[in-house]
Amino acid sequence: MGAFKEPHGGELKNLYLNEAAAEAEKQAARDYVSWDLTERQLCDIELLLNGAFSPLEGFLNRADYDAVVSSMRLTSGVLWPMPVTLDVSEDFAGKLQPGDKVALRDLEGVILATLEVGDIWSPDKAREAEGVFGTTDEKHPAVHFLNNIAGPVYVGGRLTGIEAPTHYDFKHLRESPAEVRTRFKKLGWRKVVAFQTRNPMHRAHQEISHRAAREVEANLLIHPVVGMTKPGDVDHYTRVRCYEHILKYYPEQTTSLSLLPLAMRMGGPREALWHAIIRKNYGCTHIIIGRDHAGPGKDSKGEDFYGPYDAQELLKAHADELDISMVPFRMMVFAENKAQYIPIDEATDADQVLNISGTELRRRLQEGLEIPEWFSFPDVVTELRRTHPPRHKQGFTVFFTGLSGSGKSTIANALMSKLMEIGGRQITLLDGDIVRKNLSSELGFSKEHRDLNIQRIGFVASEITKNGGIAICAPIAPYTSTRRYVRDLIEPVGGFIEIHVSTPLEICEERDRKGLYALARAGKIKEFTGISDPYETPENPEMAIDTIGISPDLAAHRILVKLESMGFIK
Ligand code: PPS
């Protein structure tokens, strides 16, 4: 293992073995106990191994973890604001002893590194949440992750790198800290200001970053995060294509783009400090910190977790020991009367200030509305529109739920015919009976089997929706949590319209088209929904339809009107 020495940024760890030693370690590691790295851990390990997390040499051991949580420092006294830990299951931890070696594998089973086990402990997650993020509110994405996704036991220890995680996308933009430093050196870039982002860049961002570089007479590194960002963010593929467009709006040879495979925690001020240390490791001399840096959004009371300029304050307080300088920036707004961007606190009453929020931008994209040139660059907007078509070009799922015999299938069929008549979209009907024949033929009606059945429907519907089609589903789907699961699967990729066919049990039983209610009453069919198995009434469906006194034709028509009002059909 060696260390790179470069003019700025200090010593850079390099945890990789040379080729021959890596091969030998890989052979030996085949006999070690194995841990399959999670998506978050894959991001962390990449930055541990390549030195972006210098001075760390592995996942934090207990004393360092405790010190980081309580005082933002390693036990050595070095400033380090974010715990970087290997979280595992109790079962796995039970197999380990300090001193053991673990093979760490990627999703395909490739051994990327070995870990020499140090401490093994069950962390107090509430203390971690409070200490690091200042809250235990699960609206904070990192607290939610900590409580619901991360494993219950942490394993610390030194890492030995065998090979870097593989990336197949944007290979020309993926560089280690050593490679970035070498590039700066080759180009003679002695001062470089880093711009951190997890969003597409528009004119205001270009303006801020360009001004910052001019202000400190530095070159600019656009250094977007392409690991894990905030759930719901624009995917990194789209964003990187946008960043590639934006490069041409800077003076030639002044600015470059490189990708950072970091798993963000959305930790506000502490995360900003972490970002600064990471950028220092990449050889940058400055970092831009704007308004609400790495902000996690609102808490469960609707209030901001952190003040808009808390991150700047924290960096200021540690300026002496950070080997990188902050370029603080206020929010920029467009002054129409001046036809230029100005910092919000320089705007006077005479200025006609324009701004488009993230929410407003999403609305305009969804509805195919104009996005003005003062706000963004035409090629960036075109790129965003490619992956965010207006609603009437997006896929959607109409998910009927209701008792057996409530009329779901009949209305679903009527809706399908009406949508086919309109034309222009591919439609798939996933009726309860069709699914049970083709997808779920081995399943019965226990809770476990019903859940599996609905999860399968949800998976197929989400694929159809993602690819721009229409899925019409009509199972009983009696459980709230499973319907929620399906909604969560589909909403990120398109529309989800839940329709409760609320025909009361007495009517369904009276109709008893298939004679199943009689059999259920006689005890010949077990676990029959509404009779001997529960139906949990949907609380907030997009629509409820009681089929008493309304024909299937009218019901389907009402759904069409609803789809139109939501923008899914034109
Ligand atoms: S579920 O709960 O969503 O998985 O059910 P689903 O796949 O929609 O299947 C419901 C159809 O199966 C018939 N059937 C039963 N329904 C409910 N409970 C029990 N025990 C049962 N056994 C058989 C019934 O015909 C349902 O069809 P529909 O079209 O809803 O009447």
Side-chain angles (χ1 to χ4, degrees):
M1 280 184 246
F4 304 102
K5 287 232 166 56
E6 292 297 330
H8 49 245
E11 194 196 346
L12 192 57
K13 299 285 175 192
N14 169 23
L15 308 185
Y16 287 109
L17 294 171
N18 65 39
E19 216 174 302
E23 188 50 41
E25 181 74 3
K26 193 162 153 183
Q27 293 302 332
R30 298 217 161 105
D31 296 330
Y32 301 166
V33 54
S34 266
W35 174 255
D36 295 335
L37 294 159
T38 62
E39 195 187 352
R40 152 92 77 99
Q41 292 164 355
L42 273 167
C43 292
D44 285 352
I45 206 171
E46 179 163 5
L47 299 189
L48 281 165
L49 295 177
N50 72 13
F53 286 170
S54 299
L56 303 194
E57 293 183 338
F59 289 104
L60 294 186
N61 272 314
R62 187 165 193 170
D64 277 327
Y65 163 81
D66 283 337
V68 167
V69 170
S70 60
S71 59
M72 292 201 316
R73 288 178 191 280
L74 301 168
T75 45
S76 63
V78 168
L79 198 61
W80 187 268
M82 202 54 74
V84 179
T85 48
L86 183 72
D87 58 291
V88 301
S89 62
E90 268 166 4
D91 268 4
F92 182 77
K95 296 183 204 158
L96 302 178
Q97 293 288 334
D100 285 355
K101 292 254 225 158
V102 178
L104 300 174
R105 296 175 187 265
D106 72 6
L107 303 172
E108 267 138 37
V110 176
I111 302 176
L112 302 180
T114 58
L115 174 83
E116 192 182 329
V117 176
D119 298 326
I120 306 164
W121 76 103
S122 301
D124 176 344
K125 292 194 173 176
R127 176 180 166 263
E128 180 177 334
E130 194 60 62
V132 180
F133 304 110
T135 178
T136 51
D137 187 335
E138 289 198 4
K139 272 275 190 137
H140 193 300
V143 178
H144 176 266
F145 188 95
L146 188 61
N147 291 347
N148 302 296
I149 300 173
V153 184
Y154 289 173
V155 182
R158 288 175 76 91
L159 285 170
T160 301
I162 294 172
E163 70 182 85
T166 312
H167 296 285
Y168 298 104
D169 58 333
F170 303 112
K171 287 170 98 79
H172 60 295
L173 297 172
R174 292 187 182 267
E175 295 164 297
S176 68
E179 287 166 338
V180 172
R181 286 182 182 205
T182 306
R183 190 150 63 90
F184 290 167
K185 205 171 165 189
K186 194 169 155 197
L187 294 172
W189 287 15
R190 297 174 57 95
K191 276 161 91 182
V192 183
V193 57
F195 183 72
Q196 139 79 30
T197 180
R198 47 166 261 269
N199 285 312
M201 287 174 73
H202 303 293
R203 281 190 197 270
H205 309 105
Q206 193 272 348
E207 192 72 30
I208 287 175
S209 52
H210 183 36
R211 276 182 185 224
R214 260 194 334 226
E215 217 169 82
V216 295
E217 295 176 356
N219 288 96
L220 175 66
L221 177 69
I222 299 174
H223 208 203
V225 173
V226 295
M228 290 168 77
T229 61
K230 198 171 160 204
D233 279 350
V234 174
D235 67 273
H236 81 261
Y237 301 99
T238 306
R239 285 192 286 116
V240 176
R241 290 194 300 271
C242 291
Y243 305 136
E244 286 190 307
H245 287 303
I246 216 163
L247 277 179
K248 63 175 172 287
Y249 298 100
Y250 294 93
E252 249 175 79
Q253 313 295 336
T254 61
T255 303
S256 85
L257 172 64
S258 194
L259 308 184
L260 178 66
L262 172 73
M264 285 181 74
R265 274 51 165 181
M266 308 313 301
R270 270 201 188 218
E271 177 127 2
L273 207 55
W274 194 36
H275 288 176
I277 296 168
I278 295 168
R279 273 33 181 256
K280 178 211 69 162
N281 286 331
Y282 276 87
C284 299
T285 52
H286 295 73
I287 179 168
I288 299 168
I289 304 288
R291 188 184 180 279
D292 196 25
H293 191 101
K298 307 248 181 243
D299 65 15
S300 45
K301 293 195 197 98
E303 279 157 29
D304 289 331
F305 281 100
Y306 312 113
Y309 297 106
D310 286 2
Q312 293 183 358
E313 292 305 318
L314 191 69
L315 264 84
K316 226 181 273 168
H318 293 89
D320 288 352
E321 48 184 327
L322 278 174
D323 195 12
I324 180 167
S325 311
M326 167 173 64
V327 187
F329 255 89
R330 298 268 143 182
M331 193 176 150
M332 300 287 278
V333 287
F334 186 72
E336 198 178 17
N337 49 313
K338 295 181 172 138
Q340 65 172 16
Y341 276 87
I342 53 171
I344 193 158
D345 45 3
E346 282 175 22
T348 64
D349 289 347
D351 288 318
Q352 287 144 9
V353 162
L354 300 178
N355 193 26
I356 291 183
S357 68
T359 316
E360 173 62 11
L361 175 65
R362 275 192 291 279
R363 187 185 78 86
R364 290 187 184 211
L365 282 170
Q366 239 167 34
E367 295 179 20
L369 301 175
E370 193 221 343
I371 296 167
E373 280 220 23
W374 64 259
F375 176 75
S376 195
F377 303 96
D379 29 15
V380 170
V381 174
T382 306
E383 204 55 67
L384 287 176
R385 287 203 201 278
R386 277 177 70 203
T387 32
H388 298 78
R391 269 199 165 162
H392 67 273
K393 288 195 176 145
Q394 284 175 23
F396 63 87
T397 293
V398 180
F399 191 93
F400 291 96
T401 166
L403 295 167
S404 172
S406 58
K408 305 180 297 285
S409 304
T410 318
I411 304 174
N413 271 298
L415 177 65
M416 170 138 149
S417 291
K418 287 185 187 297
L419 286 168
M420 301 273 261
E421 185 183 336
I422 295 169
R425 307 280 271 274
Q426 301 299 325
I427 309 171
T428 302
L429 180 62
L430 296 164
D431 191 15
D433 288 337
I434 301 175
V435 171
R436 287 219 167 240
K437 193 165 154 223
N438 295 293
L439 269 183
S440 296
S441 56
E442 85 286 18
L443 300 183
F445 289 88
S446 63
K447 170 153 195 331
E448 194 192 353
H449 278 192
R450 287 180 198 259
D451 280 351
L452 221 92
N453 182 41
I454 302 305
Q455 283 163 13
R456 289 178 188 173
I457 294 175
F459 171 72
V460 176
S462 73
E463 287 298 309
I464 292 167
T465 303
K466 186 171 78 188
N467 292 309
I470 300 174
I472 303 177
C473 314
I476 295 179
Y479 305 120
T480 307
S481 64
T482 333
R483 293 192 299 258
R484 176 86 232 174
Y485 168 89
V486 175
R487 181 184 285 275
D488 289 347
L489 206 62
I490 295 175
E491 273 183 345
V493 295
F496 184 78
I497 301 97
E498 184 178 344
I499 299 180
H500 178 207
V501 183
S502 61
T503 317
L505 178 66
E506 313 80 75
I507 306 295
C508 298
E509 193 167 359
E510 204 178 293
R511 290 179 188 159
D512 203 9
R513 290 228 175 82
K514 300 180 186 166
L516 295 174
Y517 281 96
L519 291 171
R521 287 284 180 203
K524 290 184 184 151
I525 303 181
K526 306 272 178 246
E527 300 173 309
F528 196 84
T529 308
I531 307 294
S532 41
D533 211 63
Y535 179 81
E536 297 169 3
T537 306
E539 277 165 19
N540 289 309
E542 274 70 16
M543 260 185 112
I545 296 179
D546 182 342
T547 57
I548 305 174
I550 152 170
S551 66
D553 191 68
L554 185 56
H557 178 72
R558 284 201 186 152
I559 299 169
L560 273 191
V561 172
K562 177 80 184 171
L563 290 172
E564 225 175 298
S565 76
M566 292 174 83
F568 287 113
I569 52 178
K570 234 183 162 177

